[in-house]
């Protein structure tokens, strides 16, 4: 009987209507998840390899998510939720970052795990968005802006790039929830 009650409760929760403004966490498909279609397959593969090389060499995880729109959700809340759900940086060290780009709203946000806060401060993250990424986005050069922004995040965090095996595909962010993310959002217009 207890098992039947628990099963029924989980079934009702699974079919409960979503709360307004809460967007589902998108599935990640590696270090680069380009739901907005800003990158060609070659550009995405090159960024994926670069980000995996950085993870292998430094131990720090940086992920990129582009979205066509936020669907009424705040970028702050969504980025924090996704960063935690994807487990970027791991639960113990929380030494990862998520770059979230929302095209329709023209917003970029960098969520920084507590383990990287000392190196990737709000000030530095803001400068990366304003001075490196946003000018390229304004010109429509999204791939260039994303690549340079990721390189700037890697440089700010420190560490080295590691060798990659030939033909290696990028890993996915860890499946465990990371805790303690801080964030910064900047609008590009």
């Amino acid at each position: 009987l207890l098992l039947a009650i628990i099963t029924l409760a989980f079934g009702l929760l699974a079919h409960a209507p979503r709360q307004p403004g809460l967007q589902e966490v998108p599935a990640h498909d590696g270090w680069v998840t380009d739901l907005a279609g800003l990158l060609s397959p070659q550009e995405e593969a090159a960024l994926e390899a670069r980000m995996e090389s950085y993870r292998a060499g430094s131990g720090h995880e940086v992920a990129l998510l582009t979205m066509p729109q936020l669907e009424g959700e705040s970028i702050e809340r969504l980025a924090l939720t996704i960063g935690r759900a994807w487990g970027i940086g791991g639960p113990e060290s929380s030494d990862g970052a998520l770059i979230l780009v929302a095209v329709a709203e023209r917003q970029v946000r960098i969520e920084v795990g507590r383990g990287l806060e000392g190196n990737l401060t709000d000030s530095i993250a803001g400068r990366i968005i304003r001075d490196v990424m946003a000018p390229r986005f304004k010109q429509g050069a999204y791939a260039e802006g994303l690549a340079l922004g990721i390189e700037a995040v890697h440089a700010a965090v420190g560490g080295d790039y590691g060798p990659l095996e030939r033909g290696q595909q990028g890993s996915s962010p860890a499946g465990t929830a990371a805790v303690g993310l801080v964030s910064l959002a900047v609008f590009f217009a």
Side-chain angles (χ1 to χ4, degrees):
L1 180 64
L2 181 58
L3 182 58
I5 293 171
I6 291 172
T7 304
L8 177 63
F10 278 113
L12 291 175
L13 287 176
H15 294 21
R18 278 188 13 200
Q19 294 178 13
L22 289 182
Q23 193 174 122
E24 290 184 30
V25 173
H28 56 79
D29 59 3
W31 300 115
V32 178
T33 303
D34 183 25
L35 301 179
L38 300 178
L39 302 167
S40 71
Q42 297 81 10
E43 292 164 335
E44 184 172 348
L47 276 180
E48 187 80 34
R50 182 113 175 125
M51 294 166 85
E52 176 56 23
S53 172
Y54 182 72
R55 189 213 51 83
S58 71
H60 305 304
E61 298 177 351
V62 178
L64 168 67
L65 171 62
T66 69
M67 301 182 73
Q69 62 185 12
L70 296 173
E71 297 179 16
E73 182 71 71
S74 77
I75 195 168
E76 297 86 1
R77 184 174 177 177
L78 188 58
L80 181 62
T81 300
I82 291 168
R84 287 181 174 165
W86 285 5
I88 300 167
E92 293 85 29
S93 59
S94 194
D95 62 344
L98 170 68
I99 302 169
L100 174 59
V101 178
V103 177
E105 292 82 2
R106 302 171 62 100
Q107 295 181 29
V108 178
R109 184 166 188 92
I110 298 177
E111 288 289 338
V112 182
R114 295 208 191 282
L116 297 182
E117 283 180 326
N119 294 337
L120 187 55
T121 64
D122 285 350
S123 174
I124 292 169
R127 287 178 43 213
I128 290 170
I129 294 169
R130 281 188 305 274
D131 299 341
V132 177
M133 299 174 79
R136 274 94 181 164
F137 290 176
K138 288 178 186 176
Q139 299 169 350
Y142 286 101
E144 180 183 5
L146 293 171
L148 293 174
I150 289 166
E151 288 178 13
V153 167
H154 290 168
V157 170
D160 223 337
Y161 290 94
L164 291 176
E165 294 178 25
R166 186 181 180 135
Q168 178 178 347
Q169 296 295 320
S171 298
S172 296
T176 324
V179 294
L181 294 173
V182 297
S183 57
L184 173 75
V186 176
F187 297 84
F188 60 95

